[in-house]
Amino acid sequence: MAFSEFRRLDERSVIEYVKGVPALASKLQLAEAEAEADADADHNITVKEIGDGNLNFVFIVVNSASKASIIIKQALPYIRCIGESWPLTKDRAYFEATALEEQGRLAPNHVPQVYHFDLTMSLIAMRYLEPPHIILRKGLIAGIQYPLLAPHMAHFMANTLFFTSLLFRSTLDHKREVAKFCGNAAMCRHTQQVVFSDPFQVSQYNHWSSPYLDPDAEALLQDNLLKLEVAHLKSIFSERAQALIHGDLHTSSVMVTPQSTQIIDPEFAFYGPMGFDIGAFLGNLILAFFAQDGLLDQSNDRKAYKEWILQTIEDTWNLFYEKFIALWDEHRNGAGEAYLPAIYNDPEVLLLAQRRYMSDLFHDSLGFGAAKMIRRIVGVAHVEDFESITDAAKRATCERKALNLAKMLLKDRRKFEGIAEIVSAIRQF
Amino acid sequence: MAFSEFRRLDERSVIEYVKGVPALASKLQLAEAEAEADADADHNITVKEIGDGNLNFVFIVVNSASKASIIIKQALPYIRCIGESWPLTKDRAYFEATALEEQGRLAPNHVPQVYHFDLTMSLIAMRYLEPPHIILRKGLIAGIQYPLLAPHMAHFMANTLFFTSLLFRSTLDHKREVAKFCGNAAMCRHTQQVVFSDPFQVSQYNHWSSPYLDPDAEALLQDNLLKLEVAHLKSIFSERAQALIHGDLHTSSVMVTPQSTQIIDPEFAFYGPMGFDIGAFLGNLILAFFAQDGLLDQSNDRKAYKEWILQTIEDTWNLFYEKFIALWDEHRNGAGEAYLPAIYNDPEVLLLAQRRYMSDLFHDSLGFGAAKMIRRIVGVAHVEDFESITDAAKRATCERKALNLAKMLLKDRRKFEGIAEIVSAIRQF
């Protein structure tokens, strides 16, 4: 029996909930006696709340008898890490479930399967990404290399972005999907605030490694050129429905093992600029790079690991580029209405068109990536990469390098022609 | 009694229709006997079909006793000037009515009042723009000056574009409206085809002043740089929800007297790039300019009129610029979420932000205007400005100048910094 109205679940009521939903009881392989709502036979079911993100509550439910497990994720009508003082629509769960299903269809090896969605409860039941899956950010802090990360992320981004764009879709299909995700406006508004606004104004939630970065944070409020570029990027974010984007594709939205890469938490999904996803991922890798100098110790100078991060940045973009262009070539006679075959299938003009498209996308990605880096250093939500550096002075030194690189990228991004130049620039900071 | 299902009206059934809708019978001041559905007393009601546009049927209904009059506009499920072989959704009437009401609210002196909308019948009843109102394009062909045209158009465009953008609206309001107008996708698709595609590919509906412009039309199919710019503009048109645009703001969508300027026919309305409207209007004025050399005769060398057109082009942009910035300044502390006061109200950064915004908008407008000029010379729907030049060789000479200017503007638009430079360029062709 499903719950008839929203209520916040806890570790006890989660059990009651899963027992009431036949699809979930079945997924957990509960015996009939256990699945009865009033049964006492709960002793095989263990529940653990594991949400360590900023927004939601997440429960692992395990049947210790059968070893079957599921994740129950519930959105509350406010931001978990702030509390009820910062409301945020729980409708986001609907868009997360919808995006998980769409992205799962387009990149099935990289998205956890959704078992059940409950609109009333703002609740998604999905596959538990079992150990050794960990949050990528934690792997980056631990210095673990993931040789398949770049190809997997390139595949996920190329597929989800290409197939939801006008390169593949007809105008009618595209506008219908755009309209649907316009409903996630409250989440877009949240991003506008935390990424494009708060770092550049006095805001109660802003914080930084004080006093070390006080002048750096103050400088952001006075940097007119930076504000102009941020306004431009914000307008692209707010107005340009280029593809269905994840909307929050940082390194804590990715779970990994050496063999597996899974992209989770698309509750910010909407039709926006592709570069916002690509930039989020690359920008967070750059943050991880700059954190390494604060994480090294006598046993590990992190030099090799920093090289691996740089290589992963380069490979991710280059493989994404290759894969995206391959999809474009493969589907150039399809239903997509952006580049009609009769006009653009001449090899010379197609090559020029693709180069221009990818060049614009590259510059968008750099801009959005840089904006996301800045907000993680002076805004409301920081990253564990830096936060785990306990020596505040050392942390601030790492952060300042990342901040200065980001400011430069935001202002000068159009001067860069390829990812190798970005890697060189990172080395120079 | 309203009709219960769609049927195409003719001059006889229009009478039956208006008698069945109390609001319209009342607007026409029909006496009670006349308003009865089966009355024979129709002798005071005259109906005339006057639709000379490409798409719809338009009836004037006049009560010769009271002198009261209304317009009945009905959308059919195909394009009138082509026939049933080119289907086009009659749902466009809903979006036209919705846009007329929104634009009427924002620029009440420049939009005819809507009296009645009938979704089933795809029908709008609205104010009859009585003589001496004529279609602006006909006035331009006749060489009539309209001293208030530039300020009126600047006012209409500034108000409708500013107040429906994120400069004035909150993100939540904006996304809700964007979603609503996504439903007009079929009309966007039509524009994509006739403006951004057909002129650059072999299409059965394309035609031009043959044989004179054969090489010019052929050259468009081979011009890779042009195709790249067109693809870029098409992506902005298809993806960027900047404001509620009219979507078809050429000089036949404007009715004028020396004192009055009325903007009609927004059935292509949707949330798109502002520059598409501004460009449509300016581009069609430029077409009118180049047509003048084919329209002159011994009694009138049209020199003074050409100067007036150029002045109107310049004034329209400059007055639009002024008015738009004035609205921005006036509402900079309002609900608009694009440029938050705390970040952008510093006078120096506000000035920089406004200059950049208007510069981008100027370049968009030039690009879209140029694309609209090209399609009127080699595409499916030509303009009466050129069509009324009976000497085909002379017409082709005029058209070629316009075409060459448009190609140059499309490719080099970012090199122009102000409208005076555009006027100079027009003079040079």
Side-chain angles (χ1 to χ4, degrees), chain A residues 171 192 227 234 337 344, chain B residues 171 192 227 234 337 344:
Chain A
T171 295
Q192 287 169 353
K227 290 181 182 181
K234 185 179 176 184
E337 291 184 348
Y344 295 98
Chain B
T171 295
Q192 287 169 354
K227 290 180 181 181
K234 185 179 176 184
E337 290 183 348
Y344 294 98

Side-chain angles (χ1 to χ4, degrees), chain B residues 26-46:
Chain B
S26 157
K27 185 60 71 177
L28 278 170
Q29 301 170 23
L30 297 184
E32 233 170 80
E34 293 169 310
E36 279 171 23
D38 55 352
D40 291 331
D42 289 347
H43 56 275
N44 285 334
I45 307 178
T46 60

Side-chain angles (χ1 to χ4, degrees), chain A residues 228-403:
Chain A
L228 282 191
E229 293 299 335
V230 167
H232 181 72
L233 289 165
K234 185 179 176 184
S235 84
I236 299 177
F237 177 83
S238 307
E239 295 169 352
R240 185 168 186 199
Q242 193 177 21
L244 177 61
I245 67 172
H246 178 286
D248 198 29
L249 196 51
H250 53 73
T251 49
S252 292
S253 293
V254 181
M255 293 193 73
V256 283
T257 73
Q259 288 77 41
S260 167
T261 307
Q262 303 291 324
I263 289 85
I264 60 173
D265 292 355
E267 60 241 274
F268 286 89
F270 76 112
Y271 275 74
M274 297 178 180
F276 194 75
D277 274 4
I278 302 164
F281 184 66
L282 297 181
N284 275 268
L285 285 182
I286 298 174
L287 293 179
F289 174 89
F290 283 109
Q292 297 301 317
D293 284 347
L295 297 168
L296 57 82
D297 56 29
Q298 286 175 325
S299 71
N300 187 344
D301 65 7
R302 299 271 180 153
K303 277 188 185 161
Y305 197 63
K306 286 167 69 178
E307 286 306 310
W308 177 80
I309 295 177
L310 292 179
Q311 193 63 50
T312 300
I313 290 169
E314 195 163 340
D315 289 350
T316 299
W317 172 259
N318 286 336
L319 292 170
F320 168 80
Y321 191 119
E322 268 176 42
K323 174 77 181 167
F324 194 90
I325 293 295
L327 290 172
W328 187 336
D329 286 340
E330 184 184 344
H331 297 280
R332 68 179 185 273
N333 296 311
E337 291 184 348
Y339 293 81
L340 299 186
I343 308 175
Y344 295 98
N345 270 7
D346 165 77
E348 188 183 314
V349 73
L350 183 62
L351 188 66
L352 288 170
Q354 290 178 336
R355 278 195 191 148
R356 172 142 180 202
Y357 192 100
M358 297 310 278
S359 171
D360 288 346
L361 182 51
F362 183 59
H363 295 144
D364 281 1
S365 302
L366 296 179
F368 287 123
K372 307 248 314 176
M373 288 169 66
I374 291 172
R375 78 100 157 192
R376 293 298 193 176
I377 297 167
V378 301
V380 54
H382 287 223
V383 288
E384 200 181 330
D385 314 59
F386 289 133
E387 298 301 296
S388 60
I389 302 170
T390 45
D391 180 328
K394 197 183 282 182
R395 181 173 69 240
T397 303
C398 297
E399 289 173 327
R400 183 178 292 115
K401 286 182 187 173
L403 185 62

Side-chain angles (χ1 to χ4, degrees), chain B residues 235-279:
Chain B
S235 84
I236 299 177
F237 176 83
S238 308
E239 295 169 352
R240 186 170 186 197
Q242 193 177 20
L244 177 62
I245 67 172
H246 178 285
D248 197 29
L249 196 51
H250 53 72
T251 49
S252 292
S253 293
V254 181
M255 294 193 72
V256 284
T257 72
Q259 287 77 40
S260 167
T261 306
Q262 302 291 324
I263 288 85
I264 61 173
D265 291 355
E267 60 241 90
F268 285 89
F270 76 112
Y271 275 74
M274 297 177 180
F276 194 76
D277 273 4
I278 302 164

Side-chain angles (χ1 to χ4, degrees), chain A residues 201, chain B residues 331-334 336 339-346 349:
Chain A
Q201 66 183 349
Chain B
H331 296 281
R332 69 180 185 273
N333 296 312
Y339 292 81
L340 299 186
I343 307 175
Y344 294 98
N345 269 8
D346 165 79
V349 73

